Amino acid sequence: MSIDPRNVILARISTGLTEMLGRMGAHATMRDMGTHSSEELWPQWPDNLTAEDACDLLGDALSNIGTFDQVNMKPEGDAVAIRIKGCEFNHLGQVEASPVGQRSICFFGFGLIEKSLERLTGNQYRVELIHHDAETDTCNEIARFR
């Protein structure tokens, strides 16, 4: 898999923040950066969508930004199940050595998904990694309604 040099730069920034602010500070900063990026990436998005329509739109949008091979999202009660296959950041362990899901760069993605779902549905969510399967290069995450 060829890695986009821009993603290497983002991972280096994430690592630098972790070194300067500590893990908790970097995670909070990167999540905040993700939330602010939603409006910049998709400024003209609709609102008041059903969770299913929001999942379809956001899954397609995330699949097309070039960082992930495929993003599937599906409502499950008050939560949203998220399956991310082929995340470039999973392959940057030499840059940010923490386990997948604990890397500060992961929190950027969590914030981006949280804010995007909020904008689309009007509901607030909190995203976390449930399981990373290195063999299939897949992250299973959950966005819980809060």
Side-chain angles (χ1 to χ4, degrees):
M1 169 187 260
S2 177
I3 303 291
D4 185 330
R6 293 173 291 192
N7 289 333
V8 174
I9 292 167
L10 289 174
R12 292 258 183 237
I13 291 169
S14 173
T15 301
L17 284 171
T18 303
E19 290 170 1
M20 288 187 322
L21 302 175
R23 180 173 288 196
M24 295 295 286
H27 289 181
T29 299
M30 292 300 287
R31 189 184 295 268
D32 186 62
M33 289 170 61
T35 62
H36 290 301
S37 296
S38 175
E39 185 109 14
E40 293 173 23
L41 288 170
W42 306 295
Q44 302 301 320
W45 266 12
D47 55 11
N48 296 318
L49 295 180
T50 65
E52 189 167 321
D53 288 340
C55 286
D56 289 342
L57 178 61
L58 182 54
D60 287 344
L62 289 168
S63 294
N64 290 320
I65 62 173
T67 302
F68 316 105
D69 288 342
Q70 184 178 34
V71 178
N72 294 307
M73 302 177 74
K74 180 181 168 186
E76 290 185 353
D78 286 342
V80 173
I82 305 163
R83 184 173 176 264
I84 299 174
K85 183 158 180 57
C87 175
E88 282 195 12
F89 296 113
N90 291 348
H91 303 277
L92 295 173
Q94 75 279 14
V95 176
E96 190 169 1
S98 296
V100 171
Q102 295 176 26
R103 296 175 182 174
S104 297
I105 195 71
C106 296
F107 285 79
F108 177 89
F110 298 162
L112 178 62
I113 292 170
E114 289 165 359
K115 186 60 173 185
S116 298
L117 282 172
E118 180 183 346
R119 290 177 58 217
L120 292 169
T121 67
N123 298 316
Q124 293 184 341
Y125 294 86
R126 188 68 163 193
V127 175
E128 66 179 286
L129 177 72
I130 300 298
H131 175 72
H132 172 247
D133 185 341
E135 189 173 307
T136 62
D137 194 18
T138 303
C139 288
N140 293 294
E141 301 174 352
I142 187 101
R144 288 191 172 88
F145 186 76
R146 24 179 212 153

